[in-house]
C-alpha cells in the first residue's frame, strides 16, 4: 500500500460519519484540536509501516507547540492606517504564494511583461476578506512547523479561528479553514458579517468570469504580454476556481456549538488540474482532513531535515523562520499534484514581485545558487535538484545568450524569469552585459550537488552532464591568452561587487568559478564521456589572479586599490568560502581583514555571514560572533521574522537571500561542514553562537545517507540515522589515524576542533 493510499484509507475511516455541505462543513460538538492530534498520531503509525525512500533509525520532528515555531502578535504591523504588507508573513508551496491579507496571489512561472519589464503576474487574492465584528481580543499566529497562519478573534458570544495555508497535498490549493465556536449557551443564532473584497480583474491578466454559481466561481485568463517573442509564442494561461463567500456572512445555528467553513481557491495553468484539485477539496475531503494532511506533510519536511539549538530559543526561532520562508517558495517533498517545472527562487520569494519596482519583479539572480541553494542542498537534495532543473529547462535561451555575445556553450542571464532570456531592466545595462559570473555560480551549484549525491542518473539522463559541460564550454570560449603574462585572462566583467562598474578585468571571483567549472566538467567526464579539450584545462590551471605580493592579499580585480576603495558586498572573501579556493591561512586572514572595512555599512546581510564563516575558520570567535549577529539582527523584522534587504528602511522584503546567507553561517560556520567533490568534512570549532549550548543538525544528506551531527562544547557526534534504499553507496570515514567503514546506526564521537572525513568507499570516478 502506498503512503498516500494509507492516508486516504485513514481519512475515510475517521471521517465517514460527517456530512459536508458546500461551502461549509457542518458538524456539532466536535473538538477539532483533539481530532487533529488523533489524526497525526495514527498517520505517524501508518507512515512507519509504509515503505519509504529512507530506512530510518530515528527521527526528530519539531514540536508544533514549541514557542520557537510560533510567531504571535495581538496587533498586525501597520503603515499609518493601513496594514504594512511588507513585513507580513506569507504562505506558499512552491506553486502558489501570497502575503497574508494582501491583494495578490502569485503562481510559479506566471510572468507578464516584455523582456526587461517582465514581472510576476498579479492574480487577485481570494483570501483578503475580513470579518466585520468588534472583537474583545485578537491574535495572529504564524506556525512555521505546520505552514499555517491563524487569525483568532473573540467576543462574548463567539470565537473565530481562521487558518490560511497553501496546501502541500495539492499545490494548486490555497485554503481558508474557518471554525466558529459558541462561547455562550445554545439557543441564539449567531451571524458573522464579512467585508468582501472580491476582484475579478488584473492589470497583468485578461480575466473572464467563465462560470459563477453557489459552488464556485471560475476565472479564465491569459497574461497580457509575452516575455520574449523568440522563446514564448503565446500568452500564459491561468485558471482560478474559488468558493464564493456567502452574502449573508457566516452563521452558527442556535443548536450548534461549532461549525467549520472551508473556502477553497485552486489555481493552475491547466484548467483540468485546477478543477480536479478544487473538486478534491470541496467534495471528496472533509475540511479537517485537508488541514491535517497539509500539516502532516509539513511535519515530514521538518523531520527530513532541520537544525536544533539547545540553550537559545531566540536563535532557534531565527533558524526556523529562515528555513520556513525559503522552503515555502520551493515545491513540497511530498505531494499528490502532478510534477510541474519549477521556475526559480527570487530574492523576494514567490510571494512578491508584482511590479518592476517591487522585490526585483520575481526574477532569479545569482542569489538562487550562491545564497539560498546551499542550505537546501545539505538537507533537501531533491529540492536542490529542482532548482538546477530550472536552469536546465531554459538552456535554449542560455545557448542563444552565449551566441549573442559571440561565445559558445551556455551563458545564463543575470536576471531570469519565465523564458530564460535576460530580463534585467533597462536601468541597469552594465549588469546585463558584464555580470557573467552567474554562469560559474550555477556550475558551482552543480558541483556541490554531485559532491553531495553522486547522482549519475542526473548527469546522464536529466541533462546534468550537459549543464556542466556547456557552462565549461562557455568559459573555454571566454578566456583569452596574454602573451606578456603568460596566463589566461577573462576581461570586461562585473564582479559580485556591483560598485565596480561598468566593468573590470580579471575579477578573482569570476576567474575562480570559471576554473572550477572547467575542472568539474573534467571530473565527471568519466561518466558523461564528454572529453574536455586540453586548451580548456590549460585555461583552468593558468588563469590570472590579481594578487598583492606585498600585503599578501587577493585583489578584487586588476589594479584594485586596497587603500582607497569601497565595495558593495562580499566578493574576494567568497574565495575562501564557499569556493574553498586553495590559499594559506594567512592570506585568508589578510583578505578578511582587508575587505571587511572596505565593505559598505549598508551592504546586504549575507556579506556578514561570509565574514563570520571566515573568522570561525581562523579561530577568531569574538570577531565571528560580532559579524554573525550583524548578519541578521538588523535585517529581521518582528513580529513574524520577515527578512528585509536593507538595515535602514526596508528595501526588498521576504528577502530569502539574506535568510540563506544566515543559514550558511550556522551550517558551514558553526557547524564546521565542508562539502568537496571527494568527501564531506566535519570540523566544529567548539565555540557556539550566542547562548547556544548545543547545535544539532538533523538529516544532513550525503551519498544516500542521512547524518545527524550534534556539537557540544567539548565533543561532537555523528550518527548515521537513515539510508536511502536506491542511492546509498558504501561509506568510509577517517579521523586522525582512525579509519573504518560506516553503516546505518553507527555513532562516531570525537573531540571538538578535530577533523572527521566521510567519503564514498569507491570514488565516483575510479
Amino acid at each position: 500500500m502506498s503512503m498516500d493510499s494509507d492516508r486516504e484509507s485513514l481519512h475515510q475511516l475517521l471521517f465517514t460519519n460527517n456530512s459536508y455541505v458546500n461551502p461549509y462543513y457542518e458538524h456539532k460538538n466536535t473538538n477539532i484540536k483533539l481530532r487533529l492530534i488523533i489524526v497525526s498520531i495514527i498517520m505517524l503509525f501508518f507512515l512507519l509501516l509504509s515503505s519509504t525512500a529512507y530506512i530510518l533509525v530515528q527521527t526528530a520532528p519539531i514540536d508544533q507547540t514549541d514557542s520557537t515555531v510560533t510567531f504571535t502578535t495581538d496587533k498586525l504591523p501597520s503603515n499609518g492606517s493601513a496594514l504594512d504588507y511588507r513585513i507580513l508573513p506569507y504562505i506558499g508551496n512552491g506553486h502558489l504564494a501570497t502575503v497574508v491579507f494582501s491583494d495578490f496571489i502569485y503562481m510559479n512561472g506566471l510572468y507578464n511583461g516584455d523582456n526587461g519589464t517582465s514581472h510576476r503576474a498579479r492574480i487577485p487574492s481570494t483570501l483578503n476578506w475580513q470579518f466585520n465584528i468588534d472583537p474583545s481580543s485578537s491574535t495572529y499566529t504564524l506556525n512555521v512547523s505546520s505552514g499555517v497562519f491563524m487569525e483568532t478573534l473573540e467576543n462574548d458570544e463567539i470565537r473565530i479561528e481562521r487558518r490560511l495555508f497553501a496546501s502541500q497535498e495539492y499545490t494548486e490549493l490555497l485554503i481558508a479553514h474557518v471554525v466558529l465556536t459558541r462561547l455562550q449557551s445554545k439557543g441564539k443564532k449567531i451571524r458573522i458579517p464579512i467585508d468582501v473584497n472580491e476582484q475579478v480583474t488584473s492589470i497583468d491578466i485578461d480575466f473572464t468570469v467563465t462560470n459563477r454559481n453557489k459552488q464556485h466561481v471560475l476565472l479564465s485568463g491569459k497574461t497580457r504580454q509575452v516575455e520574449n517573442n523568440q522563446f514564448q509564442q503565446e500568452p500564459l494561461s491561468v485558471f482560478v476556481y474559488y468558493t464564493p463567500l456567502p452574502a449573508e456572512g457566516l452563521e452558527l445555528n442556535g443548536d450548534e456549538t461549532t461549525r467549520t467553513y472551508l473556502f477553497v481557491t485552486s489555481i493552475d495553468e491547466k484548467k483540468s488540474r485546477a478543477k480536479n484539485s478544487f473538486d478534491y477539496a470541496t467534495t471528496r475531503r472533509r475540511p479537517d482532513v485537508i488541514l491535517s494532511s497539509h500539516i502532516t506533510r509539513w511535519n515530514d519536511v521538518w523531520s527530513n531535515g532541520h537544525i536544533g539549538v539547545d540553550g537559545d530559543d531566540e536563535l532557534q526561532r531565527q533558524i526556523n523562520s529562515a528555513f520556513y520562508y525559503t522552503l515555502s517558495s520551493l515545491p513540497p517533498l511530498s505531494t499528490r499534484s502532478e510534477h510541474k517545472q519549477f521556475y526559480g527562487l527570487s530574492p523576494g520569494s514567490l510571494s512578491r514581485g508584482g511590479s518592476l519596482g517591487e522585490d526585483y519583479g520575481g526574477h532569479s539572480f545569482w542569489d538562487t545558487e550562491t545564497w539560498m541553494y546551499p542550505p537546501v542542498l545539505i538537507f533537501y537534495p531533491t529540492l536542490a535538484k529542482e532548482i538546477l532543473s530550472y536552469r536546465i529547462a531554459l538552456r535554449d535561451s542560455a545557448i542563444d545568450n552565449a551566441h549573442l555575445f559571440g561565445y559558445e556553450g551556455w551563458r545564463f542571464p543575470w536576471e531570469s524569469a519565465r523564458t530564460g532570456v535576460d530580463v534585467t531592466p533597462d536601468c541597469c545595462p552594465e549588469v546585463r552585459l558584464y555580470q557573467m559570473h552567474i554562469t560559474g555560480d550555477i556550475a558551482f551549484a552543480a558541483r556541490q550537488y554531485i559532491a553531495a549525491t553522486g547522482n549519475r542518473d542526473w548527469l546522464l539522463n536529466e541533462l546534468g552532464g550537459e549543464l556542466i559541460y556547456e557552462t565549461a564550454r562557455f568559459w573555454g570560449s571566454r578566456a583569452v591568452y596574454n602573451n606578456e603574462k603568460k596566463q589566461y585572462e577573462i576581461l570586461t566583467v562585473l564582479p559580485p561587487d556591483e560598485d565596480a562598474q561598468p566593468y573590470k578585468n580579471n575579477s578573482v571571483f569570476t576567474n575562480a568559478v570559471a576554473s572550477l567549472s572547467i575542472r568539474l566538467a573534467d571530473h565527471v567526464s568519466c561518466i558523461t564521456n564528454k572529453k574536455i579539450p586540453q586548451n580548456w584545462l590549460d585555461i583552468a590551471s593558468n588563469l590570472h589572479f590579481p594578487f598583492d605580493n606585498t600585503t599578501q592579499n587577493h585583489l578584487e580585480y586588476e589594479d584594485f586599490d586596497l587603500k582607497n576603495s569601497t565595495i558593495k558586498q562580499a566578493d574576494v572573501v567568497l574565495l575562501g568560502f564557499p569556493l574553498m579556493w586553495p590559499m594559506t591561512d594567512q592570506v585568508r586572514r589578510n583578505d578578511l581583514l582587508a575587505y571587511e572595512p572596505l565593505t559598505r555599512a549598508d551592504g546586504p546581510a549575507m556579506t556578514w555571514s561570509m565574514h563570520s564563516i571566515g573568522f570561525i575558520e581562523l579561530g577568531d570567535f569574538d570577531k565571528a560572533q560580532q559579524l554573525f549577529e550583524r548578519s541578521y539582527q538588523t535585517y529581521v523584522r518582528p513580529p513574524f521574522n520577515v527578512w528585509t534587504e536593507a538595515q535602514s528602511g526596508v528595501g526588498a522584503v521576504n528577502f530569502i537571500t539574506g535568510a540563506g546567507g544566515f543559514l550558511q553561517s550556522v551550517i558551514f560556520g558553526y557547524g564546521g561542514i565542508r562539502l568537496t567533490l571527494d568527501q564531506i568534512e566535519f570540523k566544529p570549532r567548539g565555540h557556539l553562537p550566542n547562548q547556544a549550548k548545543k547545535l544539532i543538525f538533523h538529516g544532513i544528506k550525503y551519498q544516500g545517507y542521512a547524518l545527524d551531527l550534534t556539537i557540544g562544547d567539548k565533543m561532537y557526534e555523528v550518527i548515521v540515522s537513515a539510508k536511502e534504499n536506491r542511492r546509498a553507496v558504501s561509506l568510509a570515514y577517517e579521523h586522525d589515524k582512525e579509519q573504518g567503514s560506516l553503516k546505518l546506526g553507527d555513532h562516531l564521537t570525537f573531540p571538538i576542533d578535530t577533523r572527521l572525513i566521510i567519503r564514498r568507499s569507491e570514488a565516483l570516478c575510479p
Side-chain angles (χ1 to χ4, degrees), residues 180-379:
L180 308 181
T181 303
R182 182 184 297 275
L183 300 181
Q184 294 184 347
S185 58
K186 296 180 183 180
K188 176 185 175 183
K189 184 174 185 176
I190 301 174
R191 176 176 289 117
I192 308 297
I194 297 174
D195 288 336
V196 179
N197 186 27
E198 184 182 33
Q199 298 292 325
V200 295
T201 62
S202 166
I203 194 171
D204 297 315
I205 304 164
D206 184 14
F207 272 124
T208 300
V209 180
T210 306
N211 194 12
R212 180 186 288 273
N213 55 44
K214 292 183 178 180
Q215 283 70 44
H216 73 262
V217 177
L218 169 60
L219 302 182
S220 303
K222 288 184 178 292
T223 53
R224 298 183 186 274
Q225 282 185 297
V226 299
E227 185 173 280
N228 180 274
N229 288 319
Q230 181 179 352
F231 295 101
Q232 182 189 340
Q233 281 71 48
E234 299 290 336
L236 302 173
S237 297
V238 59
F239 299 91
V240 183
Y241 284 85
Y242 63 94
T243 311
L245 294 165
E248 67 277 10
L250 307 189
E251 297 178 346
L252 193 61
N253 289 330
D255 61 345
E256 290 180 299
T257 301
T258 66
R259 179 184 288 191
T260 299
Y261 287 81
L262 196 72
F263 298 96
V264 177
T265 301
S266 184
I267 305 175
D268 198 73
E269 63 184 358
K270 292 185 178 180
K271 181 179 178 181
S272 60
R273 200 154 56 192
K275 184 177 188 305
N276 287 341
S277 295
F278 183 83
D279 289 346
Y280 171 85
T282 56
T283 64
R284 300 203 297 271
R285 282 291 178 272
R286 303 299 178 192
D288 295 349
V289 179
I290 299 294
L291 175 60
S292 66
S293 179
H294 166 78
I295 292 173
T296 297
R297 282 172 164 80
W298 256 110
N299 287 341
D300 290 347
V301 171
W302 292 110
S303 295
N304 198 275
H306 69 276
I307 301 171
V309 181
D310 284 359
D312 192 331
D313 284 355
E314 183 53 39
L315 178 58
Q316 182 72 78
R317 286 167 65 83
Q318 298 291 348
I319 292 170
N320 289 344
S321 59
F323 265 121
Y324 166 79
Y325 286 121
T326 303
L327 291 168
S328 293
S329 285
L330 287 166
L333 288 179
S334 169
T335 182
R336 291 185 174 188
S337 289
E338 296 176 30
H339 182 265
K340 308 176 185 71
Q341 177 60 53
F342 180 62
Y343 282 95
L345 280 174
S346 177
S349 80
L350 180 55
S351 69
R352 311 267 313 174
S355 64
L356 284 181
E358 178 190 275
D359 305 296
Y360 302 105
H363 300 170
S364 291
F365 297 72
W366 78 311
D367 303 47
T368 303
E369 285 80 13
T370 302
W371 302 111
M372 308 174 215
Y373 172 92
V376 174
L377 173 65
I378 283 292
F379 293 104

Side-chain angles (χ1 to χ4, degrees), residues 51-98:
S51 60
T52 60
Y54 276 87
I55 302 172
L56 298 175
V57 171
Q58 57 187 33
T59 58
I62 289 180
D63 181 0
Q64 284 196 51
T65 62
D66 190 337
S67 64
T68 64
V69 300
T70 55
F71 298 80
T72 300
T73 183
D74 60 359
K75 186 177 181 180
L76 292 173
S78 61
N79 184 13
S81 60
L83 290 178
D84 191 348
Y85 297 108
R86 299 173 302 169
I87 54 175
L88 283 176
Y90 81 95
I91 53 173
N93 57 21
H95 178 63
L96 300 174
T98 185

Side-chain angles (χ1 to χ4, degrees), residues 166 375 422 425 536 710 714:
D422 201 317
W536 297 9
T710 300
K714 297 184 184 303

Side-chain angles (χ1 to χ4, degrees), residues 355-568:
S355 64
L356 284 181
E358 178 190 275
D359 305 296
Y360 302 105
H363 300 170
S364 291
F365 297 72
W366 78 311
D367 303 47
T368 303
E369 285 80 13
T370 302
W371 302 111
M372 308 174 215
Y373 172 92
V376 174
L377 173 65
I378 283 292
F379 293 104
Y380 312 105
T382 57
L383 299 183
K385 189 174 76 165
E386 290 283 354
I387 294 172
L388 292 173
S389 79
Y390 169 57
R391 304 298 189 177
I392 293 171
L394 304 184
R395 60 192 178 277
D396 288 347
S397 298
I399 294 169
D400 186 73
N401 195 31
H403 290 169
L404 183 66
F405 290 92
Y407 302 114
E408 300 175 359
W410 298 359
R411 179 191 169 179
F412 289 98
W414 181 241
E415 298 190 31
S416 179
R418 172 71 186 208
T419 64
V421 301
D422 201 317
V423 290
T424 302
D426 290 341
C427 66
C428 312
E430 295 87 357
V431 294
R432 181 195 302 134
L433 293 171
Y434 305 121
Q435 202 154 20
M436 58 190 70
H437 64 79
I438 187 170
T439 296
D441 304 331
I442 293 167
F444 189 78
R447 177 190 184 93
Q448 296 305 86
Y449 177 72
I450 289 300
T453 67
N455 190 343
R456 299 170 67 98
D457 186 63
W458 180 75
L459 288 170
L460 294 174
N461 300 317
E462 299 179 61
L463 297 177
E466 294 294 319
L467 171 68
I468 291 169
Y469 185 83
E470 294 299 335
T471 49
R473 182 200 292 271
F474 170 73
W475 295 115
S477 70
R478 187 65 177 77
V480 295
Y481 189 72
N482 185 311
N483 284 313
E484 291 184 7
K485 293 176 180 175
K486 305 300 182 185
Q487 288 182 302
Y488 288 92
E489 300 182 296
I490 300 179
L491 307 177
T492 59
V493 298
L494 186 59
D497 168 26
E498 292 176 340
D499 285 353
Q501 294 197 17
Y503 57 80
K504 304 297 178 184
N505 295 330
N506 290 315
S507 151
V508 289
F509 179 84
T510 303
N511 287 7
V513 293
S515 176
L516 290 170
S517 174
I518 294 171
R519 293 172 190 267
L520 174 62
D522 185 51
H523 182 81
V524 300
S525 63
C526 64
I527 299 170
T528 62
N529 292 318
K530 292 180 177 292
K531 184 174 175 58
I532 306 304
Q534 184 58 48
N535 70 301
W536 297 9
L537 299 175
D538 293 342
I539 291 168
S541 62
N542 194 27
L543 273 167
H544 177 62
F545 281 69
F547 191 81
D548 189 320
N549 287 311
T550 302
T551 64
Q552 289 291 291
N553 281 108
H554 289 100
L555 299 180
E556 186 180 291
Y557 48 79
E558 200 84 60
D559 299 323
F560 182 83
D561 186 350
L562 274 171
K563 295 181 180 179
N564 300 294
S565 298
T566 58
I567 66 174
K568 177 185 176 182

Side-chain angles (χ1 to χ4, degrees), residues 573-593:
V573 298
L574 302 177
L575 294 179
F577 187 85
L579 300 188
M580 296 171 282
W581 191 258
M583 69 182 77
T584 66
D585 286 351
Q586 188 58 55
V587 171
R588 175 77 160 128
R589 180 180 295 275
N590 292 346
D591 287 347
L592 288 163
L593 292 174

